[in-house]
Amino acid sequence: MYKHILLPTDGSALARGAVRAGIKFAKAVGAKVTGFYAAPPATPLEFKGLLPVGYTDPAEHARLIERAAARYLAVIEQAAKAAGVRCKLEHITSDYPADAIVAAAIRNKCDLIVMASHGHRGFTASLLGSQTQKVLAQSKVTVMVYR
C-alpha cells in the first residue's frame, strides 16, 4: 500500500487535523511521513489584503519564517513520535505553495499526500481551498483531502 506520506501544513487548525489523520493512517499501513511547510518568501513590505501596511527588515522576516516553520513542523514531529511513526521534516520558501507541495512529494518519493481541504484563508466560493485544488489538479501522486 502506501510507504511514504507527505503531510503539508500551514499551521491552521484544519491542517493539524489532517496531520493527525495522516499519522494515524501512516501507523496503520506502516508508512513513514515527511512533514512539509512552504512559507511565503521574506519581503520588506508587509501587506494586509492588497495594501502595503508596513516595512519589515528582511532578516527579521526570515527569522519569523524560521520560527513559524519550527512551530508548525514540531506538531508533526511530536505526533509522529508519539505514534511511533518515522518522520522527517522539510520547509522551504515559495510564492507557490501548491507547486512546492507537489515538488516535495516527487523529491521525497512520496506515494500519498494528506492535506487539509482548506487552510488559513478558509472557504472561498467552493469547498476546497485554492492550494488544495491546485495540488489535486497538478499532482501525479495520490492526494487524500481531510475535511
Side-chain angles (χ1 to χ4, degrees):
M1 187 163 246
Y2 299 107
K3 297 185 185 324
H4 192 173
I5 301 171
L6 185 71
L7 301 174
T9 186
D10 64 359
S12 66
L14 192 60
R16 289 190 302 273
V19 163
R20 287 189 298 273
I23 289 172
K24 184 176 179 182
F25 184 72
K27 183 173 178 71
V29 299
K32 62 184 176 180
V33 299
T34 294
F36 182 76
Y37 174 60
T43 58
L45 290 178
E46 293 179 22
F47 287 85
K48 183 167 183 129
L50 297 175
L51 301 173
V53 294
Y55 176 84
T56 300
D57 174 56
E60 176 59 23
H61 195 161
R63 283 190 293 276
L64 292 171
I65 289 170
E66 289 299 317
R67 279 196 298 235
R71 187 172 61 246
Y72 299 160
L73 294 174
V75 170
I76 298 171
E77 184 176 44
Q78 291 165 1
K81 185 176 181 179
V85 171
R86 287 184 306 154
C87 174
K88 76 175 197 172
L89 305 172
E90 183 178 317
H91 80 277
I92 65 165
T93 57
S94 174
D95 281 321
Y96 307 100
D99 294 345
I101 291 167
V102 171
I106 293 166
R107 181 175 54 257
N108 288 290
K109 297 179 175 61
C110 296
D111 47 11
L112 179 65
I113 300 168
V114 176
M115 66 186 299
S117 59
H118 62 280
H120 279 300
R121 294 194 176 128
F123 286 103
T124 55
S126 65
L127 293 176
L128 294 179
S130 62
Q131 299 310 312
T132 303
Q133 287 178 347
K134 289 174 186 174
V135 170
L136 284 167
Q138 296 173 20
S139 182
K140 292 186 178 15
V141 175
T142 303
V143 180
M144 181 184 296
V145 179
Y146 176 85
R147 288 184 21 171

